[in-house]
């Protein structure tokens, strides 16, 4: 890994130009690669870095429940560091081929832990604050706000954004360049494992449910992908449809980036610094939901149109 230039390693650590966000390309990934190279020389495994990121995210959540500037600045720095570590472990795994089942499980788990801690911190912080424009405290309504924002908005938004990104990578780079998995295969992996392999069964069982939730929300894509996987259409038609799918999907990639980490983090940081943390969950519920619905509707419409092209060639 050290024989290549920094620019070469950085380029190889990207999934694709279409799916990488500007802030990640010019800030998060380069910093993460510096960390990755340093830790790789020390022989530190990517899984260790992921575990470190989990504790950093938990610490950030704890600090966010304080209203003073000092604690909030510390929380921001901790969450930024957690994100650098999260970027680092993925880059190390891709560049050094140190990919493990535990690593996959931890990588998906880490971000969830961060935001559970953050939503809980915001809810607790708001309880004794006054509702904007009223003379009453937030009380337990702050927990309702954060549960709706986290479970009903953030979680499905992130999972579908990741799914659309993997779909794009699949048609751009092929199966080897993406992680477009399906619930049937993942459930089969679960069922094939002996009961003594409790960790593997736990991972594949939960991952199958995760894939199933993505599939249920994308009926038009499921129909299209079934036709595509069965070889429907002539060579010329399939080539044209593939290019059209990428052309229709490419403008949606910025939305998948917005619905993952960076935009959320920026809004969280600003709302915490001005001690108006209710802005963040409200932004999640209103603005991010509108983007999510637009992304979902646009992608499903495109898949419906492409299915017709495959059938009516």
């Amino acid at each position: 890994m050290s024989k290549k230039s920094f620019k070469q390693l950085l380029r190889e650590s990207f999934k694709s130009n279409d799916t990488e966000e500007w802030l990640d390309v010019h800030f998060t990934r380069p910093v993460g690669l510096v960390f990755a190279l340093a830790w790789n020389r020390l022989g530190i495994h990517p899984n260790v870095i992921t575990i470190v990121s989990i504790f950093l995210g938990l610490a950030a959540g704890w600090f966010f429940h304080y209203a003073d500037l000092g604690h909030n600045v510390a929380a921001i720095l901790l969450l930024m560091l957690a994100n650098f570590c999260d970027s680092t472990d993925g880059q190390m795994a891709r560049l050094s081929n140190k990919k493990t089942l535990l690593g996959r499980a931890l990588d998906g788990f880490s971000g969830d832990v961060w935001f559970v801690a953050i939503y809980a911190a915001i809810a607790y912080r708001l309880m004794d604050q006054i509702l904007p424009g009223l003379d009453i405290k937030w009380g337990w309504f702050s927990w309702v706000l954060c549960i709706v924002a986290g479970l009903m908005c953030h979680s499905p938004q992130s999972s579908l954004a990741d799914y659309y990104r993997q779909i794009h990578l699949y048609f751009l780079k092929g199966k080897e360049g993406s992680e477009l998995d399906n619930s049937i295969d993942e459930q089969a992996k679960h069922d094939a494992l002996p009961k003594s392999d409790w960790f593997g069964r736990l991972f594949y069982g939960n991952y199958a449910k995760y894939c199933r939730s993505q599939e249920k929300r994308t009926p038009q894509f499921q129909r299209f992908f079934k036709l595509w996987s069965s070889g429907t259409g002539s060579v010329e038609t399939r080539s044209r449809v593939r290019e059209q799918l990428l052309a229709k999907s490419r403008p949606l990639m910025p939305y998948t980036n917005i619905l993952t980490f960076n935009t959320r983090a920026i809004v969280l940081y600003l709302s915490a610094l001005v001690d108006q943390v209710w802005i963040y969950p409200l932004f999640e519920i209103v603005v991010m939901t509108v983007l999510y619905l637009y992304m979902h509707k646009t992608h499903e419409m495109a898949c419906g149109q492409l299915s017709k092209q495959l059938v009516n060639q």
Side-chain angles (χ1 to χ4, degrees), residues 39-52:
W39 284 328
N40 189 64
R41 287 173 184 168
L42 295 173
I44 299 174
H45 197 278
N47 292 351
V48 175
I49 301 169
T50 307
I51 293 170
V52 170

Side-chain angles (χ1 to χ4, degrees), residues 28-304:
T28 308
R29 301 292 189 215
V31 174
L33 182 57
V34 171
F35 284 17
L37 293 172
W39 284 328
N40 189 64
R41 287 173 184 168
L42 295 173
I44 299 174
H45 197 278
N47 292 351
V48 175
I49 301 169
T50 307
I51 293 170
V52 170
S53 78
I54 291 172
F55 284 102
L56 288 169
L58 284 170
W62 174 259
F63 277 39
F64 272 123
H65 96 272
Y66 293 100
D68 63 280
L69 181 64
H71 278 96
N72 282 272
V73 170
I76 291 169
L77 294 175
L78 285 167
L79 189 57
M80 289 177 66
L81 187 56
N83 191 42
F84 288 143
C85 289
D86 184 60
S87 177
T88 295
D89 64 13
Q91 287 170 301
M92 281 185 70
R94 284 191 290 274
L95 293 172
S96 62
N97 201 31
K98 295 178 180 177
K99 297 180 180 180
T100 65
L101 179 59
L102 177 60
R104 287 185 67 191
L106 287 173
D107 191 51
F109 180 67
S110 60
D112 292 339
V113 172
W114 302 351
F115 278 97
V116 167
I118 288 167
Y119 282 116
I122 291 173
Y124 183 82
R125 176 171 168 173
L126 284 173
M127 286 186 73
D128 289 328
Q129 293 188 8
I130 303 298
L131 275 160
L134 301 174
D135 291 328
I136 58 174
K137 293 182 178 180
W138 281 87
W140 288 103
F141 180 69
S142 65
W143 290 91
V144 175
L145 177 72
C146 289
I147 288 170
V148 170
L151 291 180
M152 299 177 66
C153 299
H154 183 146
S155 181
Q157 290 165 7
S158 295
S159 69
L160 198 64
D162 179 63
Y163 194 50
Y164 286 153
R165 187 180 295 147
Q166 298 309 323
I167 290 170
H168 189 85
L169 288 170
Y170 181 92
F171 285 91
L172 181 69
K173 304 174 73 174
K175 176 62 178 175
E176 295 302 316
S178 76
E179 296 176 358
L180 183 60
D181 300 315
N182 65 80
S183 59
I184 295 175
D185 288 347
E186 299 308 310
Q187 187 63 47
K189 292 176 184 177
H190 167 274
D191 296 341
L193 291 172
K195 291 185 178 180
S196 58
D197 188 358
W198 63 268
F199 180 78
R201 289 176 65 87
L202 179 65
F203 172 80
Y204 285 114
N206 285 322
Y207 190 48
K209 292 178 183 177
Y210 177 78
C211 293
R212 200 172 296 119
S213 72
Q214 294 171 322
E215 292 160 1
K216 285 181 178 179
R217 285 176 284 156
T218 54
Q220 292 296 335
F221 171 72
Q222 301 310 315
R223 178 172 180 267
F224 165 76
F225 196 56
K226 186 176 181 180
L227 290 168
W228 180 269
S229 300
S230 67
T232 301
S234 65
V235 174
E236 293 79 8
T237 300
R238 289 173 64 83
S239 177
R240 184 180 68 251
V241 165
R242 174 182 173 274
E243 290 303 319
Q244 287 185 19
L245 175 67
L246 289 172
K248 292 174 181 293
S249 173
R250 194 168 285 116
L252 296 179
M253 291 303 101
Y255 292 94
T256 69
N257 290 326
I258 291 171
L259 291 167
T260 49
F261 179 80
N262 288 332
T263 301
R264 282 192 172 95
I266 291 169
V267 174
L268 171 65
Y269 299 159
L270 293 175
S271 62
L273 289 174
V274 297
D275 194 21
Q276 298 293 328
V277 288
W278 57 268
I279 293 174
Y280 171 68
L282 191 63
F283 175 84
E284 178 70 68
I285 293 170
V286 179
V287 178
M288 300 292 258
T289 297
V290 170
L291 296 179
Y292 166 81
L293 292 173
Y294 172 78
M295 178 184 69
H296 177 258
K297 181 180 179 181
T298 304
H299 198 276
E300 282 288 278
M301 286 180 61
C303 290

